[in-house]
Amino acid sequence: EPARPIPLAPLLEDARPGDVVLLGAGAYEGPVTVPDGVTLRGLGPERTVVRSERQGPAVVLGRRSRLEHVRVDTTIERIAWLPVVVVACAGAGAVVAGSVVTGTIGVSADDVRLAAVRAWGVTAEDVERLSVVRSAFEGMRWDVGIDVRRGAGHLIDSCELTGHLCAVHLTATVSATVRRCSIAARWWGVRLSDTEATSVTATVVRGTMRAVDVDGGTTIDVIGNAAIDGDSGLLVQRGAHGVHARGNYWERCRVGLFTWESPDVHHHDNAAVDLWEPDAAAVIGPV
C-alpha cells in the first residue's frame, strides 16, 4: 500500500521570512499557504509532489515567497475550458521556478515571476509586471495559454505553447513584450486586444489560423516573427493605430499581412513565401 501523503501545512507553521523549507522525495498533502518571504523547495518535479483533494488552489504563495522544484497536482476535474487554478500567486514578488503544475497558475499580485515551469496556462488580471520566462504550457484545444488582462510592464519570453485555442491573449495591457516564443495553436497565436505600446518579436507560430492578431489598440511593433502553415501572418483590425510590421517571414499562409479598418499600419522588409494566394503578401482593406 502506498504511503499516505505527509501533511504539508504543519511543516510551514513556524517558518519565517528568509527561511527555506526543504522537502524530500515523496508526496505531500495540501492545500498550503507559503508564508511571506519563505521558500518551499523540493528535489525536482519527479521526486517531490504536492497534492490536494480540496476545492481551491493546492499552493498559495504569499509576498516574496517562492515555490521551487516540485510538482503540484489536484484531483479537481476541469469543466470544459474553464481554468483550474492549482497554484495561486497572491503576494507581490512571488516566484514559481523549476516546477510542474497540472493545472493553471493564477496571478493576482504585482511583480510575480514564473520561470522554467510547465503548466496548462496562466491567468492574470489587474497586476503589474508579470514575467513568464523559459516555460512551457499545453492546452486542451479550447483554452487560452497565457491570459493577461490589464496592467503594465508584462514580459513573456522564450516560452513554448501548444494545443490552445489562443496561445497568448493580452487585453488592455500597456508596455507588454512577447518575444522568442514558439507557438502552435488552433486559432490565435498572439492576440492583442486594445493594448498600448506592445512588442511582439522573434516569435515562431506554426499551424495557427491567425499568427498575430492586432485587434484595436495603439503603438504596436510586430518585428522579426515567423508564421508558417497558417491562414494569416498578421491581421490588423478594428481601428488599430500606430502598428509597425517589419522583418517578418510568412510561409505557406493564405495571406501575409491583412488590414481592416485600421488606417495607420506601416509595413516593410517582410517576406512572403509560397502563399496560398500568391498576390496576398499585403492586403490592405478599407480604413
Side-chain angles (χ1 to χ4, degrees):
E1 182 179 346
R4 293 181 58 83
I6 300 169
L8 185 52
L11 303 181
L12 292 167
E13 284 181 351
D14 298 325
R16 297 292 180 265
D19 289 351
V20 178
V21 177
L22 296 173
L23 303 179
Y28 294 81
E29 181 182 2
V32 67
T33 296
V34 182
D36 294 350
V38 172
T39 296
L40 183 63
R41 180 181 297 161
L43 298 178
E46 303 304 319
R47 302 182 65 190
T48 304
V49 180
V50 176
R51 297 192 176 102
S52 176
E53 297 182 355
R54 301 182 188 178
Q55 291 286 345
V59 177
V60 177
L61 297 177
R63 186 174 183 274
R64 297 192 180 279
S65 62
R66 300 175 64 95
L67 179 69
E68 300 178 351
H69 310 306
V70 303
R71 180 184 182 96
V72 185
D73 292 337
T74 182
T75 59
I76 305 303
E77 293 187 4
R78 185 176 195 169
I79 300 175
W81 57 82
L82 299 177
V84 176
V85 175
V86 177
V87 173
C89 298
V95 175
V96 182
S99 296
V100 174
V101 178
T102 57
T104 297
I105 300 172
V107 178
S108 58
D110 299 340
D111 297 304
V112 167
R113 179 176 173 84
L114 311 177
V117 303
R118 299 184 68 89
W120 294 351
V122 178
T123 62
E125 188 169 354
D126 295 317
V127 304
E128 308 293 322
R129 298 173 297 278
L130 169 65
S131 178
V132 186
V133 300
R134 302 187 308 279
S135 296
F137 304 95
E138 184 174 355
M140 46 74 72
R141 295 179 58 80
W142 293 99
D143 51 351
V144 179
I146 300 175
D147 189 2
V148 183
R149 300 174 184 269
R150 297 175 293 278
H154 308 304
L155 173 64
I156 301 168
D157 187 2
S158 303
C159 292
E160 179 180 350
L161 299 104
T162 58
H164 302 90
L165 180 67
C166 176
V168 177
H169 192 187
L170 305 181
T171 303
T173 59
V174 178
S175 298
T177 298
V178 180
R179 68 188 182 202
R180 296 192 294 261
C181 292
S182 175
I183 291 172
R186 287 186 58 215
W187 197 266
W188 292 279
V190 179
R191 185 182 185 189
L192 310 178
S193 299
D194 297 316
T195 68
E196 179 181 347
T198 309
S199 174
V200 181
T201 62
T203 288
V204 179
V205 183
R206 297 179 181 273
T208 302
M209 285 291 290
R210 298 175 175 179
V212 179
D213 183 353
V214 180
D215 193 357
T218 183
T219 316
I220 296 160
D221 290 334
V222 182
I223 301 172
N225 305 286
I228 302 168
D229 295 324
D231 179 81
S232 53
L234 171 59
L235 173 63
V236 183
Q237 61 180 329
R238 210 171 61 79
H241 185 83
V243 178
H244 294 261
R246 68 177 185 270
N248 298 288
Y249 177 82
W250 304 311
E251 181 178 354
R252 296 191 301 276
C253 296
R254 183 178 63 85
V255 179
L257 165 67
F258 185 87
T259 75
W260 191 267
E261 296 182 345
S262 296
D264 188 23
V265 179
H266 308 271
H267 58 97
H268 57 89
D269 299 326
N270 300 296
V273 178
D274 293 335
L275 296 182
W276 305 351
E277 298 180 10
D279 297 327
V283 178
I284 308 303
V287 296

